[in-house]
Amino acid sequence: MATDVSPGQQRALAWSLLIAAVVWLVPANLLPIMAVTETGRGKASTIADGIWQLFEAGMPGIAIIVFIASLLVPFFKVLVLAVIYWRVPHENNPRISTRAYRLVYWIGRWSMLDVFVVALLAAVVEFGNLARVEPGPGILAFALAVVLTMLSAHAFSPQQLWIQDPDGADHGHA
Amino acid sequence: MDTPEVKHSRWPSPIWLVPLVSLLVAGWLLYDQLLQRDVQIEITFENGSGIKPGVDLRYRGVPVGSVDEIVLSDDLKQVSVHASLNRDAEKLAREKSRFWIVEPELGIAGARNLDTLVSGKYIAVEPGEGEPEKEFEGLETPPEQQPNLGLKVTLVADHLGSLKKGRKIYYRDLQVGTIGESELSQDGRFVEIQAIIEPKYARLVRSNTRFWNSSGLTVDIGLFKGAEVQASSLENLLRGGISFATPPEAGPLAKAGERFDLYKQPEDDWREWAPIMKWK
């Protein structure tokens, strides 16, 4: 983050990006992320559909992994970031907050996994009418949510957590 | 709550456009995808052979939807086909829309829908009038062979011969109707054949109209005139059909369900009958 930006503006940017990410999480989970066409039989599935299909196919292990990676983690990240941002002006335990922030920042780079999987499947599974995978609108929303979350985390600088008596007074915090 | 606000400026920072635009676009996307999703319809058939998930719904030969799943009805007497119609084809799902399964027809007199041999069967739809509807009763035969429409009269014959259901009825060799179900008369002496005349040609049938079996050849060999062969049309010859003619003094319009004798062959002058009947 550029240093000539005030902490308040920095936080405003982080917040706005985070809110945008939350907005995009809704269609990401409600809309189909990909449509699989097998021998002419098409089926569009959302993230939850996919997890349920894995579960029904007798792969509870993978189902749980996908559930955690694709459903829980995005929400978890957003939630943790929101809590961190919110606590900044009156942070009393900067160590834990910084750890949480670093964790979220670190997970960020793995979050596009779903998008890569869909992109890969769409490119590889292309056998005309036999089998075809087409990306759905949900994956676009998912990718946007992930990118916005990462940008938000990036816009925020954890140094703010360590400012002892924050000049939060001039940000309207009484 | 300490949501950051930029107080130094009169206007909120342009940063807040990001969530705002996101909200608008995501909302539109959700609306577009969820509220205007494909139209789900349900069609029941007596027999669903050849229909499986993924089979097309077609209108005028163009795919307008596909079958999602097929379930048996509770009483096991029907199959109900759940299908989704594309959004732009939504108007096809009206009260009087008709759905039927298109399958290949092979016969000595002709072949139809041969493409379905390769591509598999599909469900054809013909739009109808009325309110939007979600549940439909599928037709068992294509509408052009549908016995439901038109003037129904009963023809009484000694033998059914080759006059099976679906064969055609001709007026001056022009196809104007279809043969429907046949059954034995109550006393067992005759066969009663249902003849369905298309509505627009119904006026051609009068109370004194003569029907005859125009299947096959009429061969008349005489010592002096040589051989005379008569057949109404080649298709008729191969498949069997019924022709009719109305005498010049056309009687009153035939009523639905009226009974007529079916003659084995026309009398000589029947073919020359040409009454003026406004059929439109």
Side-chain angles (χ1 to χ4, degrees), chain B residues 91-280:
Chain B
K91 289 201 185 95
L92 292 175
R94 301 274 173 179
E95 239 171 82
K96 289 192 179 151
S97 295
R98 297 183 287 178
F99 294 81
W100 69 97
I101 299 171
V102 178
E103 45 199 342
E105 279 176 44
L106 281 174
I108 38 171
R112 299 173 62 201
N113 308 322
L114 282 192
D115 53 331
T116 56
L117 277 179
V118 184
S119 65
K121 297 178 183 179
Y122 62 89
I123 297 177
V125 49
E126 196 180 273
E129 312 268 294
E131 297 291 303
E133 176 68 51
K134 300 270 174 210
E135 283 169 28
F136 299 93
E137 194 95 356
L139 308 179
E140 299 307 316
T141 48
E144 63 261 25
Q145 298 172 14
Q146 263 305 302
N148 300 334
L149 293 161
L151 171 69
K152 287 185 202 173
V153 294
T154 308
L155 306 178
V156 183
D158 293 338
H159 299 281
L160 183 58
S162 57
L163 301 173
K164 298 204 180 66
K165 186 181 176 188
R167 300 285 154 86
K168 305 302 178 202
I169 297 172
Y170 301 87
Y171 182 78
R172 298 176 174 276
D173 295 345
L174 178 79
Q175 187 192 316
V176 295
T178 313
I179 299 174
E181 302 289 347
S182 314
E183 58 180 20
L184 206 58
S185 67
Q186 278 182 348
D187 55 6
R189 291 173 62 211
F190 303 105
V191 181
E192 292 178 350
I193 304 163
Q194 197 171 51
I196 302 113
I197 312 292
E198 285 175 33
K200 64 175 179 177
Y201 295 120
R203 296 177 67 88
L204 297 175
V205 185
R206 304 301 173 103
S207 59
N208 55 355
T209 293
R210 297 299 159 95
F211 287 85
W212 71 90
N213 185 340
S214 57
S215 321
L217 289 171
T218 311
V219 183
D220 191 3
I221 304 176
L223 190 56
F224 298 106
K225 60 183 174 180
E228 194 177 282
V229 181
Q230 239 181 29
S232 69
S233 74
L234 188 61
E235 193 191 352
N236 217 344
L237 173 68
L238 294 170
R239 298 183 65 160
I242 290 175
S243 298
F244 68 89
T246 300
E249 307 83 31
L253 293 174
K255 289 186 280 293
E258 201 162 328
R259 295 168 75 87
F260 292 89
D261 284 331
L262 180 69
Y263 294 88
K264 287 200 183 73
Q265 63 239 342
E267 276 168 28
D268 291 340
D269 55 335
W270 291 2
R271 287 176 172 281
E272 270 103 69
W273 285 349
I276 298 168
M277 290 186 286
K278 283 237 169 91
W279 58 275
K280 266 190 171 165

Side-chain angles (χ1 to χ4, degrees), chain A residues 7-80:
Chain A
Q9 270 173 314
Q10 223 177 53
R11 258 183 328 129
L13 181 61
W15 268 116
S16 82
L17 291 170
L18 193 68
I19 290 167
V22 172
V23 167
W24 281 108
L25 272 180
V26 178
N29 283 283
L30 289 181
L31 296 180
I33 55 165
M34 62 176 176
V36 182
T37 314
E38 262 179 279
T39 56
R41 178 182 180 168
K43 185 138 182 57
S45 31
T46 61
I47 295 177
D49 285 342
I51 294 167
W52 185 241
Q53 278 162 22
L54 282 174
F55 204 79
E56 279 196 325
M59 295 183 274
I62 299 176
I64 288 169
I65 292 177
V66 176
F67 174 71
I68 293 173
S70 310
L71 232 157
L72 278 192
V73 165
F75 283 105
F76 164 79
K77 276 166 48 181
V78 165
L79 200 70
V80 169

